[in-house]
Amino acid sequence: MMANVNIINDFHKLYYESYVWRGQTFWLGIPIYKCPLDLWIYQEIIFQIKPDLIIESGTGDGGSAFFLASVCDAIGTGTICTIDIQPSAKIPQHQRIIYLNGSSTSPEILKIIRLLTKGLSKVIVILDSDHTKENVLAELRTYSDFVTSGSYLIVEDTNINNNPVLPDFGPGPMEAVKEFLDERTDFVIDKNCEKLLLTFFPNGFLKKI
Ligand SMILES: C[S@@+](CC[C@H](N)C(=O)[O-])C[C@H]1O[C@@H](n2cnc3c(N)ncnc32)[C@H](O)[C@@H]1O
């Protein structure tokens, strides 16, 4: 078993350090900063939950929002609200996507999110903005309230800070998740979402119980 873990970690590092996922991976022509295996899991989660709303912190070039919107198109339900402090000039337009410009934890943005989520029964949250522990923990503490029971709060890039990539990053998403779960009993790590062996989000798929 240990040998298998080493193989997975070695491939994880090889794949990550190729940086093919950053600027050379596209969804329908739009750059998307993801490992395709994680996108497959997103598709399974969206099909299972059939969310009214998916909130994404960190738009980037809009590739992930566009992907989420495509899956929502396929199942016929769901809106994507994606937030960025410095949005790209070339984000794709899609009728299911709402773009918000600002910091995810600012009072202005949180006020809009509160309005958008009011009365909804199925909300997924994805955190992919500033990956410092401080910011991710602040996002976890605020955005966890918007996640509905049985749905997911997904913390991206828990693989950095030597889990197993970017050993010198410093405290990041993985450390934020640990502290958050020490404070809370209403979220559990869904290890089944790591079944494809390689994920950039180890311990990052949190299910609200
Ligand atoms: C990794 S990129 C997002 C990539 C995108 N989700 C994808 O997979 O294609 C991170 C984004 O987070 C944004 N960002 C950084 N700090 C932020 C904050 N406090 N609030 C909102 N967005 C932030 C950056 O401007 C950047 O565009």
Side-chain angles (χ1 to χ4, degrees), residues 119-156:
L120 298 184
S121 57
K122 287 178 282 181
V123 178
I124 294 172
V125 171
I126 297 172
L127 304 180
D128 186 25
S129 70
D130 169 354
H131 295 318
T132 58
K133 177 187 171 188
E134 186 188 24
N135 182 66
V136 179
L137 192 53
E139 288 186 328
L140 277 165
R141 286 172 176 156
T142 44
Y143 282 81
S144 51
D145 288 348
F146 302 123
V147 181
T148 48
S149 297
S151 186
Y152 286 86
L153 170 54
I154 301 161
V155 186
E156 296 205 353

Side-chain angles (χ1 to χ4, degrees), residues 7 20 37 45-47 53 74 80 82 87 95 115 122 126 153 155 173 196 202:
I7 290 167
V20 74
L37 292 175
I45 288 174
I46 293 167
F47 183 79
L53 180 69
I80 320 303
T82 181
Q95 58 184 5
L115 287 174
K122 287 178 282 181
I126 297 172
L153 170 54
V155 186
L196 301 182

Side-chain angles (χ1 to χ4, degrees), residues 70-190:
S70 300
V71 179
C72 286
D73 270 349
I75 61 166
T77 188
T79 296
I80 320 303
C81 174
T82 181
I83 308 150
D84 206 294
I85 201 165
Q86 199 175 13
S88 157
K90 44 188 185 184
I91 43 178
Q93 295 307 308
H94 190 292
Q95 58 184 5
R96 291 189 184 274
I97 304 179
I98 299 167
Y99 289 103
L100 297 182
N101 182 3
S103 176
S104 55
T105 50
S106 69
E108 298 77 17
I109 292 291
L110 289 170
K111 189 175 172 192
I112 299 169
I113 297 294
R114 259 179 231 113
L115 287 174
L116 285 174
T117 52
K118 202 164 190 240
L120 298 184
S121 57
K122 287 178 282 181
V123 178
I124 294 172
V125 171
I126 297 172
L127 304 180
D128 186 25
S129 70
D130 169 354
H131 295 318
T132 58
K133 177 187 171 188
E134 186 188 24
N135 182 66
V136 179
L137 192 53
E139 288 186 328
L140 277 165
R141 286 172 176 156
T142 44
Y143 282 81
S144 51
D145 288 348
F146 302 123
V147 181
T148 48
S149 297
S151 186
Y152 286 86
L153 170 54
I154 301 161
V155 186
E156 296 205 353
D157 301 297
T158 44
N159 61 342
I160 63 176
N161 201 32
N162 210 26
N163 301 295
V165 299
L166 298 191
D168 301 325
F169 184 85
M174 178 67 89
E175 292 70 27
V177 166
K178 278 193 191 124
E179 193 159 327
F180 175 72
L181 291 180
D182 282 346
E183 298 170 356
R184 303 283 288 252
T185 54
D186 53 344
F187 283 89
V188 291
I189 295 168
D190 187 350

